[in-house]
Amino acid sequence: MQRVSTGSPFEATFGYSRAVRHQDTVYVSGTTGYDYATMTMPDDVGVQAANALATIDKALKEAGSSLQDTVRVVYYIGDRNDVNAVVAAVGPVFRDIRPAASMLIVQMIEAGMKVEIEVTARIGASNS
C-alpha cells in the first residue's frame, strides 16, 4: 500500500493521507480548494473547485494514476447556489471521462470552504 501526502496540516491533525493506493485503485480523500501556491483559500467557489482538482491530480500522479483514470467522484458543496459554478469548473475536466458521481449539499468544517471533492481512480481505466 502506498500513501500520498500533500503536507496539508489537516492530514497530520486528522490522521489521514491525501491518497492511498492499494493495488490498481487510488482513493483520494476529500480535497478542498486551498491554494498551496499562495497558502490561501480563495473566495470564488469555481476557483476552489479547480484548485481541488489540481491537488487531486497531483496526488493521483504521485500514486501512478491521473484524473483520466477517475471512476468515481463525490462533490460536497456548502451552498446549493454554488452548484452551477462548481459544475462549470469540473464539467470540462470530467466531460469525456464520465465517472460515476454524486453531489451533496453539506455544512463545511470551516466557513471559507465552499466545495470538497473526493475521487476514486483505477490505474489504467483511461485505457479501457
Side-chain angles (χ1 to χ4, degrees):
M1 185 162 30
Q2 175 188 359
R3 289 178 176 81
V4 175
S5 174
T6 57
S8 165
F10 286 115
E11 292 172 26
T13 304
F14 284 58
Y16 72 95
S17 296
R18 173 64 49 212
V20 175
R21 175 181 174 176
H22 180 258
Q23 298 176 353
D24 68 346
T25 304
V26 183
Y27 305 91
V28 182
S29 296
T31 303
T32 62
Y34 195 74
D35 183 338
Y36 289 99
T38 63
M39 301 304 283
T40 62
M41 179 68 73
D43 187 55
D44 184 274
V45 69
V47 173
Q48 285 191 25
N51 287 351
L53 289 180
T55 300
I56 289 167
D57 194 40
K58 183 178 180 202
L60 286 170
K61 286 178 179 169
E62 190 172 328
S65 188
S66 72
L67 282 173
Q68 287 72 31
D69 289 332
T70 301
V71 295
R72 176 123 179 93
V73 60
V74 180
Y75 304 99
Y76 303 93
I77 301 175
D79 183 335
R80 73 181 65 255
N81 294 316
D82 289 337
V83 168
N84 289 337
V86 171
V87 170
V90 303
V93 174
F94 289 115
R95 181 174 291 125
D96 295 328
I97 301 167
R98 305 288 296 268
S102 297
M103 184 176 285
L104 301 139
I105 306 301
V106 301
Q107 184 173 351
M108 297 294 183
I109 63 170
E110 288 192 10
M113 293 177 179
K114 297 181 179 184
V115 62
E116 187 167 329
I117 303 171
E118 172 185 325
V119 305
T120 304
R122 294 281 312 269
I123 296 169
S126 62
N127 299 325
S128 301

